[in-house]
Amino acid sequence: MKNKLIILFSLLSSLTLISQEMTHSFSLQEAIDYALENNRTAKNAQRDIEAAKKQKWETIATGLPQINGSIDYQNFLKQQVTVIPSDFSDPSSELVPVIFGTTQNINASATLSQLIFDGSYLVGLQSAKVFLEISENAKTKTDLEIRKAVINAYGNVLLAEETVKILEKNKATLQKNLDDIVKIYENGLEEEESVEQLKITLSGINSNLNNTIRLKKVAYQMFNMTLGLDVYTNTILTDNLETLTVQHIDLGLLSEEFSVDSTIDYQIAENDKVSKELLVKLEQSRALPTLSTFLTGGYLSFSNDFNFLNSDQEYFGFGLLGVSMQIPIFGSGQKSARTQRAKINLEKSKDELTETEQRLKLQIESAKSDYQFALEDYNNKKENLNLAERIENKNQTKFFEGIATSFDLRQAQIQLYSAQQEFLQAMLDVINRKAELETISNKINN
């Protein structure tokens, strides 16, 4: 038994390792599509829609015919005694205790009920439809946010990957420079300060490289979690940062006019206003009468012994048809107060809708401005990188020719490294700013 358990645990451990070692590769669009299906928040938003559909039917069903059955069995352990006059013609005659009925009885019945009119039911039907719309809009909002999160996470991974490549390249170049300058110094043709300057620069590159490698691991884990994968899943990204940047350059988006009414935030705010209107209708409907009808039928049987299952046991049938109307007459102002409170909340929701509309207009303009700046900054940083590379190459040549100092070379190198990071960040900003504009405006162009 012990050996079997060891084998079982070994198999489970192996399956766990295999699942962690499975490799997934994604382009950006593939990652978005995968996340929309497997992200845990997205799945719960879809479940909310399914729950809203069930709640809608639950509301509808309350106005449809209802059938309920019941079986009641009674066994009097001690029967109730009733007294009657010994002489019914003489009310003052002696009272005699008697027992009516049998010790046991059973009652089986079924009732069919149907709601004929209820104002709150009609409002409930409208509310169920609105609640479904709210759930669907919430799902759309969730999908937009997940799409943006995937783009951000995908870009962060690519940024980390590119940063590691650049730092490794810079490290290799610096190491070669250091090896060359050490040889020159050992031959007495260079000052010790030049060696020390390069060592300082190389030390900084090593520190940044080690930190970026750690951040790259975290970026992959964040990406996996955003997609709904295990954080330790091996993933490969098939797009590269520069290609994605070019794909996300869309000058037509800057001149496009966006309709606030089509944004998901506006639609959600409008849903809230409609729901408040329905609450007002609900409170007003409570002043109307409700009308329902029912039909009940069943059988009764009586006996002093439990022989209700015998074939010769006699059962007595009965039937009842009824109509019920409830009319609210006086509630000490309660219904009026509830209606006024609902109207106040409705006025609040109207102002909130207007506030949402104005806020979205501002956010869209701000997002367009940020996107335009990202495009301009990308071109600027790309040009600056080319200039920084030429300056660093010239200073490196001058340094080994003895024209420039080690301090001049270090300054040119630091300027180059800064330009490299700024260019990578500028590419990422183009991607993220476009995603932000698309998310706010609810305009997705795949």
Side-chain angles (χ1 to χ4, degrees), residues 84-248:
I84 61 173
S86 57
D87 184 358
F88 284 98
S89 62
D90 183 7
S92 63
S93 62
E94 182 181 359
L95 297 177
V96 180
V98 296
I99 295 176
F100 291 101
T102 57
T103 58
Q104 300 184 48
N105 63 75
I106 191 168
N107 179 357
S109 65
T111 300
L112 169 65
S113 59
Q114 172 64 59
L115 181 66
I116 298 176
F117 175 81
D118 187 344
S120 62
Y121 172 71
L122 300 177
V123 176
L125 292 178
Q126 295 175 297
S127 299
K129 180 181 178 181
V130 172
F131 183 72
L132 179 58
E133 291 177 0
I134 290 173
S135 300
E136 291 172 342
N137 285 335
K139 176 66 166 64
T140 302
K141 174 73 172 178
T142 300
D143 288 349
L144 287 170
E145 292 297 332
I146 288 174
R147 177 184 181 274
K148 184 175 73 171
V150 171
I151 293 174
N152 291 339
Y154 199 100
N156 287 336
V157 172
L158 293 181
L159 177 64
E161 290 278 13
E162 293 297 326
T163 302
V164 169
K165 290 178 184 179
I166 289 176
L167 290 174
E168 287 176 341
K169 180 181 178 182
N170 292 340
K171 178 182 176 181
T173 301
L174 275 173
Q175 188 63 57
K176 183 179 182 304
N177 289 343
L178 180 60
D179 293 341
D180 291 343
I181 202 66
V182 167
K183 291 178 182 178
I184 297 173
Y185 168 71
E186 289 174 349
N187 291 326
L189 299 177
E190 187 59 73
E191 296 181 0
E192 184 179 9
E193 180 184 347
S194 299
V195 177
E196 292 172 342
Q197 287 281 6
L198 285 175
K199 284 183 177 180
I200 291 173
T201 307
L202 181 59
S203 175
I205 289 292
N206 276 325
S207 178
N208 288 336
L209 177 59
N210 293 333
N211 183 54
T212 304
I213 290 173
R214 291 190 296 269
L215 291 176
K216 183 178 76 170
K217 180 180 178 181
V218 175
Y220 269 107
Q221 292 175 345
M222 181 66 73
F223 174 74
N224 290 337
M225 187 175 71
T226 304
L227 264 64
L229 294 168
D230 185 275
V231 292
Y232 297 111
T233 302
N234 294 322
T235 49
I236 298 174
L237 308 191
T238 58
D239 287 329
N240 63 69
L241 189 58
E242 191 164 3
T243 301
L244 279 183
T245 302
V246 174
Q247 291 175 355
H248 281 74

